[in-house]
Amino acid sequence: MVNNEQQPLLITVDKLRKYYGEVKSVDDISLEIAQGQVLTLVGANGAGKTTFLNLLTGLVRPDRGEISLLGEKITRVSPDRRAKMGIVKTFQLEHLFEDMTVFDNVRTAWLSAAGKHYSLFKDIGDEKEINEKTDHLLDLFDLAEVKYTLVKNLGHGYKKVIDIAMCFAMKPKILLVDEPTSGVGEEEKYRIMNLLMEQIAVNNLASIIVEHDLHLVKELSKETIVMCDGEFIAIGTPEYVFSQDKVVEILVGKGF
Amino acid sequence: MNTRISMTIPSRCLNSTLKTTLALTTVAVVIPFLVGGYQRTLIQKGLLWIPAIFGVYILYSLLRQVHFGQSIFIGIGSYLTAFLAGKYDVTNELMILLPATLVISIVVAYVLGIFITKRTGFYFAVMGIAVTMVFWSLVYKARAVTGGSDGISHIKHPNLFTISLNDLGLYYVCLFVTVGMILLMLRILNSPFSLQLRAIAGDLDKAESIGIPVNGMLRLAFVIAGAYASITGVLLAFTYNYVSPSIFDWNYGANFVQSAIIGGVNSVAGPIVGAFCFINLEFFISTWFANLWEIVIGLTIATIVVTVGEEGVTGIAQTLFRKLGRKLRKAQESSDKHGK
């Protein structure tokens, strides 16, 4: 992997494998990601993109292989601990606390990031610092106006942004973004992406973004990975990758 | 302050809850002088059920889990009291018994919690029943220690700071303890802990992905519920002067779930309303139509579930009060107009 910016290594993935019966979902993948490195991951449905991300967050256990974060092996660390260590993922389908307000959703992430899980006797209104941080984050992501709206009453685009905002409360080192624009209108798409990319750049985060819109991929990233049947078949700049015959064949051939 | 609006309980509501609690407490303080001893015991029983029902309430209203196992912890509290203040005559000091019970029930709840909170939903409920049945049969079989089906009677009157309490004294201790536990529960329901519990109930995967230690937090909620029920157990044993294995019957544990349903699980007043509705219903039905109890309670719960669901009797009462208030205000306005 080319690492132009000479930033220190963040994550090392070594021969990671996950089979579901006969299906080779992730097949001996190795990858190194440096701090601040933004990658886009493309591939047809069922190529193993989401499984790969879930292996990184710990939601799925690998059959074999190792994952290290800053030199420390984390293959057997639980998902909630990994989130605390800085590996944070947005969900492809919305996973939010639907019956809570936008404010409470984001506030929960802050509380969790601050480790206040077992704070039983403190009034939540007295958590001034948390509440201020929450307001600040809502401002950053243009969510202030829907602060007290229940999440279930909001549209698709809002939910994607809330999901992303909650990830930033976790102070991530690497942000795994699973199809941030799926099911979102064209205009909304660019708005969400711009917000996301801006925050990633400001915080110097590493990121893997799974994206289906190839135009968006070309605009967004300097490096693209193409995944097919559990393997990385091409890595490089979007121009290079999309000029490869085998990539075109896969992406076009499968009706991508 | 609008940062408070989105709390687990809105602060307006919390203040009114606090006021209501104080008003009801005043009533409960005065009432022994107005009614006979039997009614007082009935009220005392209702008061003591409240903490146990709050245990069910916190697990359902925040986590959406149905907790049938409260009888385990009431049983632990009751039998510990029966052993120490009755059978083995070690101590009848509440200041020793209550903390000792808390410690034991917290340890037991923690260990049971490891298994019971592993699964949620249907399995959580069934596990609660299964574990209760194990306890029941152990207590039933260990005749030499527990007295088997005869139970243990002749539990001494309790002491508080070495002062022996009479029946009225015990009533006030029960009142004081229950009010204290209600206030503590209001605090807990409004804490960062509770918000994260609601998050877990909302979406388990998301909760985990933002670093919430789901298992640990479920277990702590379970421990809180158990600790609450164990206090109920100690004071109930002193109230009845008698314990029997039927406490460990899972039917008995189900009473607290039923009370929570009757009272309503959408409002913190639910467990309080539920306790008194259940106790009174039980008393009147079994006095007048001894054989109809099961039918009546079954129909009551079915009616509530079908008509108002999670709102319960509390919800019905709130709606009625609101309507009454609106009517009164209208009457006021029209009389004002006529006045002019």
Side-chain angles (χ1 to χ4, degrees), chain A residues 146-196:
Chain A
V146 291
K147 188 173 168 184
Y148 297 124
T149 314
L150 292 180
V151 167
K152 65 178 171 193
N153 297 334
L154 289 171
H156 230 52
Y158 271 121
K159 289 184 181 178
K160 295 273 183 195
V161 177
I162 296 165
D163 195 356
I164 293 168
M166 286 168 81
C167 289
F168 276 94
M170 295 305 297
K171 296 256 168 268
K173 293 190 176 72
I174 179 163
L175 190 61
L176 310 172
V177 191
D178 202 354
E179 299 193 27
T181 65
S182 69
V184 176
E186 202 65 27
E187 227 170 276
E188 191 85 8
K189 219 179 217 181
Y190 279 88
R191 194 180 75 86
I192 293 174
M193 270 320 213
N194 286 335
L195 274 172
L196 177 65

Side-chain angles (χ1 to χ4, degrees), chain A residues 14 60 81 135 144 170 214:
Chain A
D14 187 26
V60 174
R81 293 264 320 283
D135 276 329
M170 295 305 297
L214 297 187

Side-chain angles (χ1 to χ4, degrees), chain B residues 76-77 80 96-109 181 223-224 226-231 234:
Chain B
I76 287 172
L80 191 77
I96 297 172
L97 280 169
L98 289 176
T101 308
L102 271 180
V103 170
I104 291 173
S105 63
I106 286 171
V107 172
V108 173
M181 296 187 86
V223 167
I224 292 171
Y228 263 67
S230 71
I231 297 294
V234 173

Side-chain angles (χ1 to χ4, degrees), chain B residues 34-47:
Chain B
L34 307 173
V35 298
Y38 194 84
Q39 277 94 335
R40 192 193 58 219
T41 314
L42 208 61
I43 296 168
Q44 189 170 324
K45 198 176 155 192
L47 284 172

